[in-house]
Coordinates of all heavy atoms in Angstrom, one line a residue:
M19 N 31.5 -87.0 -79.7 CA 32.6 -87.8 -79.3 C 33.1 -87.3 -78.0 O 33.0 -86.2 -77.6 CB 33.8 -87.5 -80.4 CG 33.5 -88.0 -81.8 SD 34.7 -87.5 -83.0 CE 36.0 -88.6 -82.5
D20 N 33.6 -88.3 -77.2 CA 34.1 -88.0 -75.9 C 35.6 -87.9 -75.9 O 36.3 -88.6 -76.7 CB 33.7 -89.2 -74.9 CG 32.2 -89.4 -74.8 OD1 31.5 -88.4 -75.1 OD2 31.8 -90.4 -74.4
F21 N 36.1 -87.0 -75.1 CA 37.6 -86.7 -75.1 C 38.0 -86.5 -73.7 O 37.3 -86.0 -72.8 CB 37.9 -85.4 -75.9 CG 37.5 -85.4 -77.3 CD1 36.3 -84.9 -77.8 CD2 38.5 -86.0 -78.3 CE1 36.0 -84.9 -79.1 CE2 38.1 -86.0 -79.6 CZ 36.9 -85.5 -80.1
A22 N 39.3 -86.9 -73.4 CA 40.0 -86.5 -72.2 C 41.2 -85.6 -72.7 O 41.9 -86.0 -73.6 CB 40.6 -87.7 -71.5
L23 N 41.3 -84.5 -72.1 CA 42.4 -83.6 -72.4 C 43.3 -83.5 -71.2 O 42.9 -83.3 -70.1 CB 41.9 -82.1 -72.6 CG 40.8 -82.0 -73.6 CD1 40.3 -80.5 -73.7 CD2 41.2 -82.5 -75.0
I24 N 44.6 -83.8 -71.4 CA 45.6 -83.7 -70.4 C 46.4 -82.5 -70.8 O 47.2 -82.5 -71.8 CB 46.5 -85.0 -70.4 CG1 45.7 -86.3 -70.3 CG2 47.5 -84.8 -69.2 CD1 44.8 -86.3 -69.1
C25 N 46.3 -81.4 -70.1 CA 46.9 -80.1 -70.4 C 47.9 -79.7 -69.4 O 47.6 -79.4 -68.3 CB 45.8 -79.0 -70.5 SG 44.3 -79.5 -71.5
R26 N 49.2 -79.8 -69.8 CA 50.2 -79.4 -68.9 C 50.6 -77.9 -69.2 O 50.9 -77.6 -70.3 CB 51.4 -80.3 -69.1 CG 51.1 -81.7 -68.6 CD 52.2 -82.7 -68.9 NE 51.9 -84.1 -68.5 CZ 51.1 -84.9 -69.1 NH1 50.6 -84.6 -70.3 NH2 50.9 -86.1 -68.6
D27 N 50.7 -77.2 -68.1 CA 51.1 -75.8 -68.3 C 52.5 -75.6 -68.8 O 53.4 -76.4 -68.5 CB 51.0 -75.0 -66.9 CG 49.6 -74.8 -66.4 OD1 48.7 -75.2 -67.2 OD2 49.4 -74.3 -65.3
A28 N 52.7 -74.6 -69.6 CA 54.1 -74.3 -70.0 C 54.9 -73.8 -68.8 O 54.3 -73.3 -67.8 CB 54.0 -73.1 -71.0
P29 N 56.2 -74.0 -68.8 CA 57.0 -73.6 -67.6 C 56.8 -72.1 -67.3 O 56.7 -71.2 -68.1 CB 58.4 -73.9 -68.1 CG 58.3 -75.0 -69.1 CD 56.9 -74.6 -69.8
G30 N 56.7 -71.8 -66.0 CA 56.7 -70.4 -65.5 C 55.4 -69.7 -65.8 O 55.4 -68.4 -65.8
R31 N 54.3 -70.4 -65.9 CA 53.0 -69.7 -66.3 C 52.1 -69.6 -65.2 O 50.9 -69.2 -65.4 CB 52.4 -70.4 -67.5 CG 53.2 -70.5 -68.8 CD 53.4 -69.0 -69.3 NE 54.2 -69.0 -70.5 CZ 53.7 -68.8 -71.7 NH1 52.4 -68.7 -71.9 NH2 54.5 -68.7 -72.7
L32 N 52.5 -69.9 -64.0 CA 51.5 -69.8 -62.8 C 50.9 -68.5 -62.7 O 49.6 -68.4 -62.5 CB 52.1 -70.3 -61.5 CG 51.2 -70.4 -60.3 CD1 50.0 -71.3 -60.6 CD2 51.9 -70.8 -59.1
A33 N 51.7 -67.4 -62.7 CA 51.1 -66.1 -62.5 C 50.1 -65.7 -63.7 O 49.0 -65.2 -63.4 CB 52.2 -65.1 -62.5
Q34 N 50.5 -66.1 -64.9 CA 49.6 -65.9 -66.0 C 48.3 -66.7 -65.9 O 47.2 -66.2 -66.1 CB 50.3 -66.2 -67.3 CG 49.5 -65.8 -68.5 CD 50.2 -66.2 -69.9 OE1 51.3 -66.7 -69.8 NE2 49.6 -65.8 -70.9
R35 N 48.5 -68.0 -65.4 CA 47.3 -68.8 -65.2 C 46.4 -68.2 -64.2 O 45.1 -68.2 -64.4 CB 47.8 -70.2 -64.7 CG 46.7 -71.2 -64.4 CD 47.2 -72.4 -63.8 NE 46.2 -73.4 -63.5 CZ 45.8 -74.4 -64.3 NH1 46.4 -74.5 -65.5 NH2 44.8 -75.2 -64.0
M36 N 46.9 -67.7 -63.1 CA 46.1 -67.1 -62.1 C 45.4 -65.9 -62.5 O 44.2 -65.6 -62.2 CB 46.9 -66.8 -60.8 CG 47.5 -68.1 -60.2 SD 46.3 -69.5 -59.9 CE 45.3 -68.8 -58.7
A37 N 46.1 -65.1 -63.4 CA 45.5 -63.9 -63.9 C 44.3 -64.2 -64.8 O 43.4 -63.4 -65.0 CB 46.5 -63.0 -64.6
A38 N 44.4 -65.3 -65.6 CA 43.4 -65.7 -66.5 C 42.3 -66.6 -65.9 O 41.4 -67.0 -66.6 CB 44.0 -66.4 -67.7
R39 N 42.4 -67.0 -64.7 CA 41.5 -67.9 -64.0 C 40.1 -67.6 -64.1 O 39.2 -68.4 -64.3 CB 42.0 -68.2 -62.6 CG 41.3 -69.3 -61.9 CD 42.0 -69.8 -60.7 NE 41.2 -70.5 -59.8 CZ 40.8 -71.8 -60.0 NH1 41.0 -72.4 -61.0 NH2 40.0 -72.4 -59.1
A40 N 39.7 -66.3 -63.8 CA 38.3 -65.9 -63.8 C 37.7 -66.1 -65.2 O 36.6 -66.6 -65.3 CB 38.2 -64.5 -63.4
E41 N 38.4 -65.8 -66.2 CA 37.9 -66.0 -67.6 C 37.8 -67.5 -67.9 O 36.8 -68.0 -68.5 CB 38.8 -65.4 -68.7 CG 38.4 -65.5 -70.1 CD 39.2 -64.9 -71.1 OE1 40.1 -64.0 -70.8 OE2 39.1 -65.2 -72.3
H42 N 38.8 -68.3 -67.4 CA 38.8 -69.7 -67.6 C 37.5 -70.3 -67.0 O 36.8 -71.1 -67.6 CB 40.1 -70.3 -67.1 CG 40.0 -71.8 -66.9 ND1 40.1 -72.7 -68.1 CD2 40.0 -72.6 -65.9 CE1 40.1 -73.9 -67.6 NE2 40.0 -73.9 -66.3
M43 N 37.3 -70.0 -65.7 CA 36.2 -70.5 -65.0 C 34.9 -70.1 -65.6 O 33.9 -70.9 -65.7 CB 36.3 -70.1 -63.5 CG 37.6 -70.6 -62.8 SD 37.8 -72.4 -62.9 CE 36.5 -73.0 -61.7
A44 N 34.7 -68.9 -66.1 CA 33.5 -68.4 -66.7 C 33.3 -69.2 -68.0 O 32.1 -69.6 -68.2 CB 33.6 -66.9 -67.0
G45 N 34.3 -69.5 -68.7 CA 34.2 -70.3 -69.9 C 33.8 -71.7 -69.6 O 33.0 -72.3 -70.3
L46 N 34.4 -72.3 -68.5 CA 34.0 -73.6 -68.1 C 32.5 -73.7 -67.8 O 31.8 -74.7 -68.1 CB 34.8 -74.1 -66.9 CG 36.2 -74.5 -67.2 CD1 36.9 -74.9 -65.8 CD2 36.3 -75.6 -68.2
K47 N 32.0 -72.7 -67.1 CA 30.6 -72.6 -66.7 C 29.7 -72.6 -67.9 O 28.7 -73.4 -68.0 CB 30.3 -71.4 -65.8 CG 28.9 -71.3 -65.3 CD 28.7 -70.1 -64.4 CE 27.3 -69.9 -63.9 NZ 27.2 -68.8 -63.0
D48 N 30.1 -71.8 -68.9 CA 29.3 -71.7 -70.1 C 29.3 -73.1 -70.9 O 28.3 -73.5 -71.4 CB 29.9 -70.7 -71.1 CG 29.6 -69.3 -70.6 OD1 28.7 -69.1 -69.7 OD2 30.3 -68.3 -71.1
E49 N 30.5 -73.7 -70.9 CA 30.6 -75.0 -71.6 C 29.9 -76.1 -70.9 O 29.3 -77.0 -71.5 CB 32.1 -75.4 -71.8 CG 32.9 -74.4 -72.7 CD 32.6 -74.5 -74.1 OE1 32.0 -75.5 -74.6 OE2 32.9 -73.5 -74.8
K50 N 29.9 -76.1 -69.6 CA 29.1 -77.0 -68.8 C 27.6 -76.9 -69.0 O 26.9 -77.9 -69.2 CB 29.4 -76.8 -67.3 CG 28.7 -77.9 -66.3 CD 29.3 -79.2 -66.5 CE 28.7 -80.2 -65.5 NZ 29.2 -81.6 -65.7
L51 N 27.2 -75.6 -69.1 CA 25.7 -75.4 -69.4 C 25.4 -75.8 -70.7 O 24.2 -76.3 -71.0 CB 25.4 -73.9 -69.2 CG 25.4 -73.4 -67.7 CD1 25.4 -71.9 -67.7 CD2 24.3 -74.0 -66.9
A52 N 26.3 -75.8 -71.7 CA 26.1 -76.2 -73.1 C 26.2 -77.8 -73.2 O 25.9 -78.3 -74.3 CB 27.1 -75.5 -74.0
G53 N 26.7 -78.4 -72.1 CA 26.8 -79.8 -72.2 C 28.1 -80.4 -72.8 O 28.3 -81.6 -73.1
T54 N 29.1 -79.5 -73.0 CA 30.3 -79.9 -73.6 C 31.4 -80.3 -72.6 O 32.2 -81.2 -72.9 CB 30.9 -78.9 -74.6 OG1 31.1 -77.7 -73.9 CG2 30.0 -78.6 -75.8
I55 N 31.4 -79.7 -71.4 CA 32.3 -80.0 -70.4 C 31.6 -81.0 -69.5 O 30.5 -80.7 -68.9 CB 32.8 -78.8 -69.6 CG1 33.6 -77.9 -70.6 CG2 33.7 -79.3 -68.4 CD1 34.9 -78.5 -71.2
V56 N 32.2 -82.2 -69.2 CA 31.6 -83.2 -68.4 C 32.2 -83.0 -66.9 O 31.5 -83.0 -66.0 CB 31.9 -84.6 -68.9 CG1 31.4 -85.7 -67.9 CG2 31.2 -84.7 -70.3
D57 N 33.5 -82.9 -66.9 CA 34.2 -82.8 -65.6 C 35.7 -82.4 -65.8 O 36.1 -82.3 -67.0 CB 34.2 -84.1 -64.8 CG 34.3 -84.0 -63.3 OD1 34.6 -82.8 -62.8 OD2 34.0 -84.9 -62.6
G58 N 36.4 -82.1 -64.8 CA 37.8 -81.8 -64.9 C 38.3 -81.2 -63.6 O 37.6 -81.2 -62.6
G59 N 39.6 -80.8 -63.7 CA 40.2 -80.2 -62.5 C 41.6 -79.9 -62.8 O 42.2 -80.1 -63.9
A60 N 42.3 -79.3 -61.8 CA 43.7 -78.9 -61.9 C 44.6 -80.0 -61.6 O 44.4 -80.8 -60.8 CB 43.9 -77.7 -61.0
I61 N 45.7 -80.1 -62.4 CA 46.8 -80.9 -62.1 C 47.7 -80.1 -61.1 O 47.9 -78.9 -61.4 CB 47.6 -81.3 -63.4 CG1 46.8 -82.1 -64.3 CG2 48.9 -82.1 -63.0 CD1 47.4 -82.3 -65.7
L62 N 48.2 -80.8 -60.0 CA 49.0 -80.1 -59.0 C 50.4 -80.6 -59.1 O 50.7 -81.8 -59.4 CB 48.5 -80.3 -57.6 CG 47.0 -79.9 -57.4 CD1 46.6 -80.3 -56.0 CD2 46.7 -78.5 -57.7
D63 N 51.4 -79.7 -58.9 CA 52.8 -80.1 -58.8 C 53.1 -80.6 -57.4 O 52.2 -80.6 -56.5 CB 53.7 -78.9 -59.3 CG 53.7 -77.7 -58.4 OD1 53.2 -77.8 -57.2 OD2 54.2 -76.6 -58.9
S64 N 54.4 -80.8 -57.2 CA 54.8 -81.4 -55.9 C 54.6 -80.4 -54.7 O 54.6 -80.8 -53.6 CB 56.2 -81.9 -56.0 OG 57.1 -80.8 -56.2
D65 N 54.5 -79.1 -55.0 CA 54.2 -78.1 -54.0 C 52.7 -77.8 -53.8 O 52.4 -76.9 -53.1 CB 55.0 -76.8 -54.4 CG 56.5 -77.0 -54.4 OD1 57.0 -77.7 -53.5 OD2 57.1 -76.4 -55.3
G66 N 51.9 -78.5 -54.6 CA 50.4 -78.3 -54.5 C 50.0 -77.1 -55.3 O 48.8 -76.7 -55.2
E67 N 50.9 -76.5 -56.2 CA 50.5 -75.5 -57.1 C 49.9 -76.0 -58.3 O 50.2 -77.1 -58.8 CB 51.7 -74.6 -57.4 CG 52.4 -73.9 -56.2 CD 51.6 -72.8 -55.7 OE1 50.6 -72.3 -56.3 OE2 51.9 -72.3 -54.6
M68 N 49.0 -75.3 -58.9 CA 48.4 -75.7 -60.2 C 49.4 -75.7 -61.3 O 50.2 -74.8 -61.5 CB 47.2 -74.8 -60.6 CG 46.0 -75.0 -59.7 SD 44.6 -74.0 -60.2 CE 44.9 -72.5 -59.3
A69 N 49.4 -76.8 -62.1 CA 50.5 -77.0 -63.1 C 49.8 -77.5 -64.4 O 50.6 -77.9 -65.3 CB 51.5 -77.9 -62.6
G70 N 48.6 -77.6 -64.5 CA 47.9 -78.0 -65.7 C 46.4 -78.4 -65.4 O 45.9 -78.0 -64.3
S71 N 45.8 -79.0 -66.3 CA 44.4 -79.3 -66.2 C 44.0 -80.7 -66.8 O 44.8 -81.1 -67.8 CB 43.5 -78.3 -66.9 OG 43.8 -77.0 -66.5
V72 N 43.1 -81.4 -66.3 CA 42.5 -82.5 -67.0 C 41.0 -82.1 -67.3 O 40.3 -81.6 -66.4 CB 42.5 -83.7 -66.0 CG1 41.7 -84.9 -66.7 CG2 43.9 -84.2 -65.8
V73 N 40.6 -82.3 -68.5 CA 39.3 -81.9 -68.9 C 38.6 -83.1 -69.6 O 39.2 -83.7 -70.6 CB 39.3 -80.7 -69.9 CG1 37.9 -80.3 -70.3 CG2 40.0 -79.5 -69.3
L74 N 37.5 -83.5 -69.1 CA 36.6 -84.5 -69.8 C 35.5 -83.8 -70.5 O 34.8 -83.0 -69.9 CB 36.0 -85.5 -68.8 CG 37.0 -86.3 -67.9 CD1 36.3 -87.2 -66.9 CD2 38.0 -87.1 -68.8
C75 N 35.5 -83.9 -71.8 CA 34.5 -83.2 -72.6 C 33.9 -84.0 -73.7 O 34.3 -85.0 -74.1 CB 35.2 -82.0 -73.1 SG 36.8 -82.3 -74.0
R76 N 32.8 -83.5 -74.2 CA 32.0 -84.1 -75.3 C 31.6 -83.1 -76.3 O 31.0 -82.1 -76.1 CB 30.7 -84.7 -74.6 CG 29.8 -85.4 -75.7 CD 28.7 -86.1 -75.0 NE 29.2 -87.4 -74.5 CZ 28.8 -88.0 -73.4 NH1 27.8 -87.4 -72.6 NH2 29.3 -89.1 -73.0
F77 N 32.2 -83.3 -77.6 CA 31.9 -82.4 -78.7 C 31.5 -83.3 -79.9 O 31.8 -84.6 -79.9 CB 33.2 -81.7 -79.1 CG 33.5 -80.7 -78.0 CD1 34.4 -80.9 -77.0 CD2 33.0 -79.4 -78.1 CE1 34.8 -79.9 -76.1 CE2 33.3 -78.4 -77.2 CZ 34.2 -78.7 -76.2
P78 N 30.7 -82.8 -80.8 CA 30.2 -83.6 -81.9 C 31.4 -84.2 -82.8 O 31.2 -85.3 -83.3 CB 29.4 -82.6 -82.8 CG 29.2 -81.4 -81.9 CD 30.3 -81.4 -80.9
D79 N 32.5 -83.5 -82.8 CA 33.6 -84.0 -83.6 C 34.9 -83.3 -83.2 O 34.9 -82.4 -82.3 CB 33.4 -83.9 -85.1 CG 33.0 -82.4 -85.5 OD1 33.5 -81.5 -84.9 OD2 32.1 -82.3 -86.4
R80 N 36.0 -83.7 -83.8 CA 37.3 -83.1 -83.4 C 37.4 -81.6 -83.8 O 37.9 -80.8 -83.1 CB 38.5 -83.9 -84.1 CG 39.8 -83.3 -83.9 CD 40.2 -83.3 -82.4 NE 41.4 -82.5 -82.1 CZ 42.6 -83.0 -81.8 NH1 42.7 -84.3 -81.8 NH2 43.5 -82.1 -81.6
A81 N 36.7 -81.2 -84.9 CA 36.6 -79.8 -85.3 C 36.0 -79.0 -84.2 O 36.5 -77.8 -83.9 CB 36.0 -79.6 -86.6
A82 N 35.0 -79.4 -83.6 CA 34.3 -78.7 -82.5 C 35.2 -78.7 -81.3 O 35.2 -77.6 -80.6 CB 32.9 -79.3 -82.2
L83 N 35.9 -79.7 -81.0 CA 36.9 -79.6 -79.9 C 37.9 -78.6 -80.2 O 38.3 -77.8 -79.3 CB 37.5 -81.0 -79.7 CG 38.7 -81.0 -78.7 CD1 38.4 -80.6 -77.3 CD2 39.3 -82.4 -78.7
D84 N 38.5 -78.6 -81.4 CA 39.5 -77.6 -81.8 C 39.0 -76.2 -81.7 O 39.7 -75.3 -81.2 CB 40.0 -77.9 -83.2 CG 40.8 -79.1 -83.3 OD1 41.3 -79.6 -82.2 OD2 41.0 -79.6 -84.4
A85 N 37.7 -75.9 -82.0 CA 37.1 -74.6 -81.8 C 37.0 -74.2 -80.4 O 37.3 -73.1 -80.0 CB 35.7 -74.6 -82.5
Y86 N 36.7 -75.2 -79.5 CA 36.7 -74.9 -78.1 C 38.1 -74.5 -77.6 O 38.3 -73.5 -76.9 CB 36.3 -76.2 -77.3 CG 36.7 -76.1 -75.8 CD1 36.2 -75.2 -74.9 CD2 37.7 -77.0 -75.4 CE1 36.6 -75.2 -73.6 CE2 38.1 -77.0 -74.0 CZ 37.5 -76.1 -73.2 OH 38.0 -76.0 -71.9
L87 N 39.1 -75.3 -78.1 CA 40.5 -74.9 -77.6 C 40.9 -73.5 -78.2 O 41.7 -72.9 -77.5 CB 41.4 -76.0 -78.1 CG 41.3 -77.3 -77.4 CD1 42.2 -78.4 -78.1 CD2 41.7 -77.2 -75.9
E88 N 40.4 -73.1 -79.3 CA 40.7 -71.8 -79.8 C 40.2 -70.6 -78.9 O 40.7 -69.6 -78.8 CB 40.3 -71.6 -81.2 CG 41.1 -72.4 -82.2 CD 40.6 -72.3 -83.7 OE1 39.7 -71.4 -83.9 OE2 41.0 -73.1 -84.5
R89 N 39.0 -70.9 -78.3 CA 38.4 -69.9 -77.4 C 38.8 -70.0 -75.9 O 38.5 -69.1 -75.2 CB 36.9 -69.9 -77.7 CG 36.1 -71.1 -77.2 CD 34.6 -71.0 -77.5 NE 33.9 -72.2 -77.2 CZ 33.6 -73.2 -78.0 NH1 34.0 -73.1 -79.3 NH2 33.0 -74.2 -77.6
E90 N 39.3 -71.2 -75.5 CA 39.7 -71.4 -74.1 C 40.9 -70.6 -73.8 O 41.9 -70.7 -74.5 CB 39.9 -72.9 -73.9 CG 40.7 -73.3 -72.7 CD 40.2 -72.7 -71.4 OE1 39.0 -73.0 -71.0 OE2 40.9 -72.0 -70.7
V91 N 40.8 -69.7 -72.8 CA 41.9 -68.8 -72.6 C 43.2 -69.4 -72.2 O 44.3 -69.0 -72.7 CB 41.5 -67.8 -71.4 CG1 41.3 -68.5 -70.1 CG2 42.5 -66.6 -71.3
Y92 N 43.2 -70.5 -71.5 CA 44.5 -71.2 -71.1 C 45.2 -71.7 -72.4 O 46.4 -71.8 -72.5 CB 44.3 -72.3 -70.2 CG 44.0 -71.9 -68.8 CD1 43.7 -72.8 -67.8 CD2 44.0 -70.6 -68.4 CE1 43.4 -72.5 -66.5 CE2 43.7 -70.2 -67.1 CZ 43.5 -71.2 -66.1 OH 43.2 -70.8 -64.8
S93 N 44.4 -72.2 -73.4 CA 45.0 -72.7 -74.7 C 45.3 -71.5 -75.5 O 46.5 -71.4 -76.1 CB 43.9 -73.5 -75.3 OG 44.4 -73.9 -76.6
R94 N 44.4 -70.6 -75.7 CA 44.6 -69.4 -76.6 C 45.8 -68.5 -76.1 O 46.6 -68.1 -77.0 CB 43.4 -68.5 -76.5 CG 43.3 -67.4 -77.5 CD 42.0 -66.6 -77.3 NE 42.0 -65.8 -76.1 CZ 41.1 -65.8 -75.2 NH1 40.1 -66.6 -75.3 NH2 41.2 -65.0 -74.1
E95 N 46.1 -68.4 -74.8 CA 47.2 -67.6 -74.4 C 48.5 -68.4 -74.1 O 49.4 -67.8 -73.6 CB 46.8 -66.9 -73.0 CG 45.6 -65.9 -73.2 CD 45.8 -64.7 -74.2 OE1 47.0 -64.2 -74.1 OE2 44.9 -64.4 -74.9
G96 N 48.5 -69.6 -74.5 CA 49.7 -70.4 -74.3 C 50.0 -70.9 -72.9 O 51.2 -71.3 -72.6
I97 N 49.0 -70.8 -72.0 CA 49.3 -71.2 -70.6 C 49.4 -72.7 -70.6 O 50.4 -73.3 -70.0 CB 48.1 -70.7 -69.7 CG1 48.2 -69.2 -69.7 CG2 48.2 -71.3 -68.3 CD1 46.9 -68.5 -69.1
W98 N 48.5 -73.4 -71.3 CA 48.7 -74.9 -71.5 C 49.7 -75.0 -72.6 O 49.5 -74.7 -73.8 CB 47.4 -75.5 -72.0 CG 46.3 -75.6 -71.0 CD1 46.5 -75.6 -69.6 CD2 44.9 -75.8 -71.1 NE1 45.3 -75.8 -68.9 CE2 44.3 -75.9 -69.9 CE3 44.2 -75.9 -72.3 CZ2 43.0 -76.1 -69.7 CZ3 42.8 -76.0 -72.2 CH2 42.2 -76.1 -70.9
G99 N 50.9 -75.5 -72.2 CA 52.0 -75.6 -73.1 C 51.9 -76.9 -74.0 O 52.4 -77.0 -75.1
D100 N 51.3 -78.0 -73.4 CA 51.2 -79.3 -74.0 C 49.8 -79.7 -73.8 O 49.4 -79.9 -72.6 CB 52.2 -80.2 -73.5 CG 52.1 -81.6 -74.0 OD1 52.2 -81.8 -75.3 OD2 51.9 -82.6 -73.2
I101 N 49.1 -80.1 -74.8 CA 47.7 -80.6 -74.8 C 47.7 -81.9 -75.4 O 47.8 -82.0 -76.6 CB 46.7 -79.6 -75.4 CG1 46.8 -78.2 -74.7 CG2 45.3 -80.2 -75.3 CD1 45.9 -77.2 -75.4
E102 N 47.4 -83.0 -74.6 CA 47.3 -84.3 -75.1 C 45.8 -84.5 -75.2 O 45.0 -84.4 -74.2 CB 47.9 -85.3 -74.2 CG 47.8 -86.7 -74.7 CD 48.5 -87.7 -73.8 OE1 49.0 -87.3 -72.7 OE2 48.4 -88.9 -74.1
V103 N 45.3 -84.9 -76.4 CA 43.9 -85.2 -76.7 C 43.8 -86.7 -76.8 O 44.3 -87.3 -77.7 CB 43.4 -84.5 -78.0 CG1 42.0 -84.8 -78.3 CG2 43.6 -83.0 -77.8
L104 N 42.9 -87.3 -76.0 CA 42.6 -88.7 -76.0 C 41.1 -88.9 -76.4 O 40.3 -88.4 -75.6 CB 42.9 -89.4 -74.7 CG 44.4 -89.2 -74.2 CD1 44.5 -89.6 -72.8 CD2 45.3 -90.0 -75.1
E105 N 40.8 -89.6 -77.4 CA 39.4 -89.9 -77.7 C 39.1 -91.0 -76.9 O 39.9 -92.0 -76.6 CB 39.3 -90.3 -79.2 CG 37.9 -90.4 -79.6 CD 37.7 -90.6 -81.1 OE1 38.5 -90.1 -81.9 OE2 36.8 -91.4 -81.5
M106 N 37.9 -91.0 -76.3 CA 37.5 -92.1 -75.3 C 36.0 -92.3 -75.4 O 35.3 -91.6 -76.2 CB 38.0 -91.7 -73.9 CG 37.4 -90.5 -73.4 SD 37.9 -90.1 -71.6 CE 37.2 -91.4 -70.7
R107 N 35.5 -93.1 -74.6 CA 34.1 -93.3 -74.4 C 33.8 -93.3 -72.9 O 34.4 -94.1 -72.2 CB 33.6 -94.7 -75.0 CG 32.1 -94.9 -74.9 CD 31.7 -96.2 -75.5 NE 32.6 -97.3 -75.5 CZ 33.1 -98.0 -76.5 NH1 32.8 -97.7 -77.8 NH2 34.0 -99.0 -76.4
F108 N 32.9 -92.4 -72.5 CA 32.6 -92.3 -71.1 C 31.7 -93.5 -70.7 O 31.0 -94.0 -71.4 CB 31.8 -90.9 -70.8 CG 32.6 -89.7 -71.1 CD1 32.0 -88.6 -71.6 CD2 34.0 -89.7 -70.8 CE1 32.8 -87.5 -71.9 CE2 34.7 -88.5 -71.1 CZ 34.1 -87.4 -71.6
V109 N 31.8 -93.8 -69.4 CA 30.9 -94.8 -68.8 C 29.5 -94.3 -68.9 O 29.2 -93.1 -68.6 CB 31.3 -95.0 -67.3 CG1 30.3 -96.0 -66.6 CG2 32.7 -95.6 -67.2
D110 N 28.6 -95.1 -69.3 CA 27.1 -94.9 -69.2 C 26.7 -95.2 -67.8 O 26.2 -96.3 -67.5 CB 26.4 -95.7 -70.3 CG 24.9 -95.4 -70.3 OD1 24.4 -94.7 -69.4 OD2 24.3 -95.9 -71.3
W111 N 26.8 -94.2 -66.9 CA 26.5 -94.4 -65.5 C 25.1 -94.8 -65.3 O 24.7 -95.6 -64.5 CB 26.9 -93.2 -64.7 CG 28.3 -93.1 -64.6 CD1 29.1 -92.1 -65.2 CD2 29.3 -93.9 -63.9 NE1 30.5 -92.3 -64.9 CE2 30.6 -93.3 -64.1 CE3 29.1 -95.0 -63.0 CZ2 31.7 -93.9 -63.5 CZ3 30.3 -95.5 -62.4 CH2 31.5 -95.0 -62.7
G112 N 24.1 -94.2 -66.1 CA 22.7 -94.5 -65.9 C 22.4 -96.0 -66.1 O 21.8 -96.7 -65.3
S113 N 23.0 -96.5 -67.2 CA 22.7 -97.9 -67.5 C 23.5 -98.8 -66.5 O 22.9 -99.8 -66.1 CB 23.2 -98.2 -68.9 OG 22.5 -97.6 -69.9
L114 N 24.7 -98.4 -66.2 CA 25.5 -99.3 -65.2 C 24.8 -99.3 -63.9 O 24.7 -100.4 -63.3 CB 26.9 -98.7 -65.1 CG 27.8 -99.5 -64.1 CD1 28.0 -100.9 -64.6 CD2 29.1 -98.7 -63.9
M115 N 24.3 -98.2 -63.4 CA 23.7 -98.2 -62.1 C 22.3 -98.9 -62.1 O 21.9 -99.4 -61.0 CB 23.6 -96.8 -61.5 CG 24.9 -96.1 -61.4 SD 26.2 -97.0 -60.5 CE 25.6 -96.7 -58.9
D116 N 21.6 -98.9 -63.2 CA 20.3 -99.5 -63.2 C 20.5 -101.0 -63.5 O 19.4 -101.7 -63.3 CB 19.5 -98.9 -64.4 CG 19.1 -97.5 -64.1 OD1 19.1 -97.1 -62.9 OD2 18.7 -96.8 -65.1
A117 N 21.6 -101.5 -63.8 CA 21.8 -102.9 -64.1 C 21.9 -103.8 -62.8 O 22.2 -103.4 -61.8 CB 23.1 -103.2 -64.9

């Protein structure tokens, strides 16, 4: 299943976010290698500071996504205060570009 995660940081968590960033990035690298993370990036506030994340991901089911969120440091440590989970279907770029 394909998912889009809109993860807004809890108020006042920028310092905690930055302290956990290396663990977050290492986890993203592992998930990308496993094929579960498709793409993503930081949401920026009006000052250009990181204020959340958008994650496009693919897991076999919602339970596997929930397991990811349990091990993801930003989720586990409450840095992401609000996580919106949207089930979606990614564009099949290979088929589209070959058409």
Side-chain angles (χ1 to χ4, degrees):
M19 298 175 71
D20 298 337
F21 299 94
L23 309 179
I24 311 299
C25 310
R26 291 175 180 83
D27 289 357
R31 297 296 178 103
L32 182 59
Q34 187 180 1
R35 180 187 180 93
M36 298 311 293
R39 186 165 162 72
E41 181 180 344
H42 169 71
M43 298 306 285
L46 285 178
K47 183 176 180 181
D48 290 343
E49 296 290 340
K50 182 70 173 176
L51 289 169
T54 57
I55 298 295
V56 175
D57 207 347
I61 296 171
L62 304 178
D63 67 15
S64 61
D65 295 324
E67 297 288 347
M68 288 183 273
S71 306
V72 174
V73 181
L74 300 178
C75 51
R76 177 173 283 147
F77 290 93
D79 52 36
R80 178 58 194 254
L83 169 62
D84 290 343
Y86 159 69
L87 290 172
E88 287 178 14
R89 65 183 176 268
E90 161 55 57
V91 65
Y92 286 176
S93 176
R94 189 181 73 235
E95 298 296 323
I97 296 165
W98 287 337
D100 177 57
I101 301 172
E102 182 179 1
V103 177
L104 302 168
E105 190 174 326
M106 61 178 296
R107 181 175 38 235
F108 296 144
V109 173
D110 181 349
W111 289 107
S113 295
L114 179 62
M115 301 308 285
D116 290 341

